[in-house]
Amino acid sequence: MIPVRGFETKNVAVLGLGRSGLSAARALKAGGAHPVCWDDHPEICDKVESEGFEIRDFSRDGAFVDIASLIVSPGIPHLYPAPNRIVAAALAAGVPVDNDIGLFFRSLGNGDWHQMDQPPKVIAVTGSNGKSTTSALIHHILENAGKSAQLAGNIGRGVLDIDPPADGGVVVLELSSYQTELARALTPDIAVFTNFSADHLDRHGGLGGYFAAKRRLFAEGGPDRAVIGVDEAEGAFLAGQLSEGPGDDRVIRISVEGKLTGPGWSVFARKGFLAEYRKGRQAGSIDMRQIKGLPGAHNHQNACAAYAACRTLGLSPKVIEAGFNSFDGLPHRSQVIAERDGVSFVNDSKATNVDSALKALQAFRNIRWICGGLEKDGGLSGLKPGLGNVIKAYVIGREAAGFALQLDGVDCEVCTTMDRAVERAMAEAREGESVLLAPAAASFDQYDSFEKRGDDFIAQVSRRL
């Protein structure tokens, strides 16, 4: 646990008592603060109260009179699409608002660090797609190289639940826009921006608000190194804002769409090969074509980001390549779950938006595509560049018929349920084809999470093999 510092003997409010909220309450208590907690679910409040925490309904008048700060769980919208009433009450009372990520960064360092040969470092990864794979890949490479590393944030453990890092240790954090938008302290040593596409627009009040939430990771603390995906305008803009000139190697640009060979530091992947350039000269190369855990251009982008981050820590290209080759990938992300009679079955349930689904469609050929769910803002037109790889779509979700109507030129079958979609896709699949779950939509019309949706796909496939 990382005890929270700076609130000794003070009352600190904690709103939302899920994983991050309860972790924050415990870490505040460990640091000498007095957590005062609230959740809209009475049964959760009862459970937390039984652990010895004070419970207080912060919607009542005067609830913030003795509160030093309010810690908000990331799942609670604080401003858009409408101001949260409790957050608004705290702000009206002059109470600062923060989250567990902010508490982590203000509390991580301790008095022992000056005695260490190599003080610990934090790598923070954000972006629209690939955050989890990139974070897990960095963590895997470091552990494979014999380094002390911990994985936390939006993946793995809660940020305040990790062990205090040891001499030379590295903490790898996956940070969503929900986490970066509110944190009052954001000071990673290395910050990674994978890519950018429309997502969570209602939560952030539009595309500009979404980018602003991501940008805070780089603008608030000023990381020593920034790894930036520049294939979208937003990434190119961010890299330009952080750089002092063309040769500034504090900014490492990454790409899977173009060759980057300027005077600075860059990593790019083209035609299955990853290349590193520094000061206009090649400094490393990896053949990605046979690395099973990282298929497709989108995973090559993740590999570029992980490679760049690990190079800043002094790891050699050969050590990083060894980590690539032993990486199995993450569940629900281009996960090959089975093969039979020349047909591959791929679970990419994490493809919850159009951009991530497009990358999955472009990573495979001859696709029997299972798609659909709770559609996000922006429509499905962005999928068009990948539809040429689709033999047929099997559409699931409560609004499956409406989803199918938007897939112009694609042979579609409205299946509604995963059971029916898998049954029909498996019945029609032939040698050399892939049955791919890449929904291009959220799961919440039928499932509690994308993990549950992916698990259902795996179960339906497994029982028919």
Side-chain angles (χ1 to χ4, degrees), residues 123-177:
I123 302 174
V125 181
T126 195
S128 295
N129 298 303
K131 298 185 297 297
S132 296
T133 297
T134 299
S135 300
L137 181 56
I138 293 170
H139 178 255
H140 173 79
I141 293 167
L142 292 170
E143 286 203 321
N144 197 60
K147 305 291 185 181
S148 173
Q150 299 182 77
L151 182 63
N154 206 42
I155 186 175
R157 302 162 71 183
V159 292
L160 294 169
D161 285 333
I162 68 170
D163 300 323
D167 194 335
V170 181
V171 178
V172 184
L173 301 181
E174 178 198 342
L175 298 182
S176 72
S177 58

Side-chain angles (χ1 to χ4, degrees), residues 141 144 265 267 274-278 282-288 291 306-308 310-312 314-325:
I141 293 167
N144 197 60
W265 193 351
V267 180
L274 180 151
E276 175 192 4
Y277 273 73
R278 301 187 72 171
Q282 187 168 333
S285 178
I286 296 175
D287 184 349
M288 302 293 299
I291 298 178
Y307 178 99
C310 290
R311 287 289 279 149
T312 68
L315 273 66
S316 72
K318 287 187 176 180
V319 167
I320 297 171
E321 183 175 6
F324 283 177
N325 279 300

Side-chain angles (χ1 to χ4, degrees), residues 56-365:
R56 183 186 301 181
D57 184 351
F58 290 107
S59 63
R60 296 179 179 176
D61 290 343
F64 285 99
V65 67
D66 59 347
I67 298 296
S69 185
L70 170 65
I71 309 305
V72 180
S73 293
I76 299 174
H78 61 279
L79 186 57
Y80 300 111
N84 179 276
R85 69 187 191 285
I86 292 178
V87 173
L91 295 174
V95 174
V97 179
D98 204 349
N99 61 15
D100 62 327
I101 304 301
L103 296 181
F104 168 83
F105 278 111
R106 70 180 286 167
S107 306
L108 179 62
N110 61 55
D112 296 332
W113 281 27
H114 73 279
Q115 301 175 6
M116 296 181 178
D117 292 332
Q118 295 182 325
K121 291 186 179 294
V122 177
I123 302 174
V125 181
T126 195
S128 295
N129 298 303
K131 298 185 297 297
S132 296
T133 297
T134 299
S135 300
L137 181 56
I138 293 170
H139 178 255
H140 173 79
I141 293 167
L142 292 170
E143 286 203 321
N144 197 60
K147 305 291 185 181
S148 173
Q150 299 182 77
L151 182 63
N154 206 42
I155 186 175
R157 302 162 71 183
V159 292
L160 294 169
D161 285 333
I162 68 170
D163 300 323
D167 194 335
V170 181
V171 178
V172 184
L173 301 181
E174 178 198 342
L175 298 182
S176 72
S177 58
Y178 292 6
Q179 294 170 308
T180 59
E181 69 174 343
L182 198 58
R184 293 174 66 87
L186 285 167
T187 55
D189 298 281
I190 303 160
V192 178
F193 183 90
T194 58
N195 51 54
F196 188 80
S197 61
D199 207 358
H200 308 304
L201 300 188
D202 56 340
R203 169 68 179 255
H204 298 294
L207 194 64
Y210 178 47
F211 177 57
K214 298 288 189 185
R215 181 182 175 277
R216 291 191 76 248
L217 179 62
F218 303 84
E220 294 298 310
D224 295 333
R225 299 277 188 184
V227 177
I228 310 291
V230 296
D231 288 335
E232 296 84 32
E234 290 82 1
F237 176 80
L238 180 59
Q241 283 198 311
L242 297 173
S243 176
E244 293 295 333
D248 187 353
D249 67 0
R250 294 174 303 169
V251 177
I252 308 175
R253 292 167 171 83
I254 63 169
S255 174
V256 290
E257 293 185 1
K259 188 175 181 179
L260 306 176
T261 58
W265 193 351
S266 60
V267 180
F268 60 90
R270 296 182 70 206
K271 298 179 180 180
F273 288 87
L274 180 151
E276 175 192 4
Y277 273 73
R278 301 187 72 171
K279 297 180 180 180
R281 295 183 178 182
Q282 187 168 333
S285 178
I286 296 175
D287 184 349
M288 302 293 299
R289 294 173 298 176
Q290 302 304 316
I291 298 178
K292 293 184 177 180
L294 296 165
H298 62 306
N299 274 312
H300 293 177
Q301 184 180 61
N302 300 333
C304 287
Y307 178 99
C310 290
R311 287 289 279 149
T312 68
L313 296 177
L315 273 66
S316 72
K318 287 187 176 180
V319 167
I320 297 171
E321 183 175 6
F324 283 177
N325 279 300
S326 59
F327 183 66
D328 292 329
L330 290 179
H332 313 295
R333 298 159 176 88
S334 297
Q335 176 191 16
V336 179
I337 60 169
E339 294 182 5
R340 188 186 71 174
D341 299 331
V343 178
S344 297
F345 299 88
V346 183
N347 168 28
D348 204 338
S349 184
K350 184 61 171 67
T352 58
N353 59 39
V354 165
D355 187 67
S356 55
L358 173 61
K359 288 180 169 59
L361 293 177
Q362 292 174 325
F364 300 92
R365 299 290 184 269

Side-chain angles (χ1 to χ4, degrees), residues 337-338 340 417-423 426 455-465:
I337 60 169
R340 188 186 71 174
T417 66
M418 185 71 73
D419 184 10
R420 177 65 175 171
V422 170
E423 178 185 32
M426 292 184 72
D455 289 343
D456 190 17
F457 173 72
I458 294 170
Q460 298 297 339
V461 170
S462 297
R463 75 183 184 87
R464 290 177 169 85
L465 290 178

